[in-house]
Amino acid sequence: MKIICIGRNYPQHAEELGNDKPESPVVFIKPDTAKLQKRLPFYIPPFSNQIQHEVEVLVKINRIGKCIEEKFAHKYYQEIGLGIDFTARDLQKHLKQNGLPWEKAKAFDGSALIGNWFTKDHFTDLNQLDFELKKNGAVIQEGNTSEMLWSIESLIAEVSRFFTLKIGDVIFTGTPAGVGPVYPNDILEGSLEGEKAFKVKIK
Ligand code: ZN
């Protein structure tokens, strides 16, 4: 499986990193080795002094497709989740400044936390999903999918123009404002529409 990530899909987050609003979604890929194994802690990698959390709504692809039309995109997923795109922000800044690809900062082992899955029928409106991230019990990041520049279905249409989507692929739909650092012994907990999606310890 592959993990397809969207950048700058929430205008306030693009602003907080000093990025312009993009004309089309920013897309990057994490390999399957980026997936954080269930129930394991997240280990801060030795090559970064500034790991940040990005909490994001996830979509699991359940049907193979290429060049999917937006009006048919709903047929390509059944489950929605919540996860974290862990980012080595110091390394990413360095790579961006030098015009280099982001993989070292974004696609390293364990950088993709994928929480529990919920069937999409469980929710009344996928374009109005509330989600939040707590750190040590306090809410530090929250968002609603209504703030996304590109909806889930427009993202499926857009990314499938470039990459064949396969069963089990996961799309990270981008992070809202409020990204910040994590430190050893932090506990991160995510919830989607009030349902517990994940809990992870930082080491
Ligand atoms: Zn992200």
Side-chain angles (χ1 to χ4, degrees):
M1 57 87 83
K2 60 186 173 293
I3 298 164
I4 301 168
C5 299
I6 307 301
R8 301 176 203 167
N9 199 19
Y10 288 79
Q12 287 177 349
H13 169 64
E15 274 171 35
E16 76 182 342
L17 292 189
N19 295 314
D20 294 332
K21 185 187 155 179
E23 285 170 11
S24 60
V26 173
V27 178
F28 57 94
I29 296 230
K30 297 184 192 242
D32 58 1
T33 45
K35 188 178 169 187
L36 183 63
Q37 296 304 311
K38 285 256 185 254
R39 288 181 291 278
L40 285 190
F42 173 84
Y43 288 92
I44 292 181
F47 49 78
S48 176
N49 292 312
Q50 196 189 17
I51 295 291
Q52 291 194 339
H53 54 76
E54 296 190 354
V55 68
E56 311 197 5
V57 171
L58 313 182
V59 180
K60 191 201 276 181
I61 299 299
N62 71 342
R63 189 172 162 182
I64 191 164
K66 170 136 183 95
C67 295
I68 299 161
E69 283 184 61
E70 186 172 338
K71 66 183 175 194
F72 298 126
H74 65 277
K75 299 180 176 195
Y76 289 81
Y77 68 103
Q78 277 300 325
E79 291 176 294
I80 297 289
L82 193 74
I84 299 182
D85 166 19
F86 283 109
T87 302
R89 193 73 69 200
D90 46 355
L91 194 49
Q92 189 198 24
K93 276 185 192 144
H94 174 78
L95 295 167
K96 277 164 106 173
Q97 278 165 5
N98 290 285
L100 296 169
W102 297 356
E103 275 83 351
K104 287 177 178 175
K106 282 282 199 183
F108 56 87
D109 287 0
S111 61
L113 185 158
I114 296 172
N116 301 329
W117 292 105
F118 305 94
T119 58
K120 65 181 178 187
D121 306 339
H122 185 75
F123 305 111
T124 46
D125 184 356
L126 298 182
N127 294 312
Q128 293 280 344
L129 295 176
D130 262 317
F131 56 99
E132 66 174 29
L133 180 69
K134 285 183 181 171
K135 186 166 96 166
N136 307 326
V139 176
I140 49 166
Q141 204 182 3
E142 55 192 334
N144 185 288
T145 52
S146 64
E147 301 158 19
M148 299 199 304
L149 297 174
W150 289 277
S151 67
I152 288 171
E153 286 166 16
S154 64
L155 290 174
I156 289 174
E158 174 69 11
V159 300
S160 70
R161 292 172 59 214
F162 301 91
F163 311 112
T164 297
L165 298 181
K166 294 176 77 177
I167 295 168
D169 286 352
V170 175
I171 301 176
F172 275 61
T173 61
T175 193
V179 301
V182 298
Y183 300 108
N185 299 317
D186 282 345
I187 304 277
L188 300 179
E189 290 170 279
S191 59
L192 179 62
E193 284 284 299
E195 307 261 11
K196 190 181 162 186
F198 60 80
K199 181 175 185 177
V200 66
K201 182 164 187 172
I202 308 297
K203 285 199 171 181

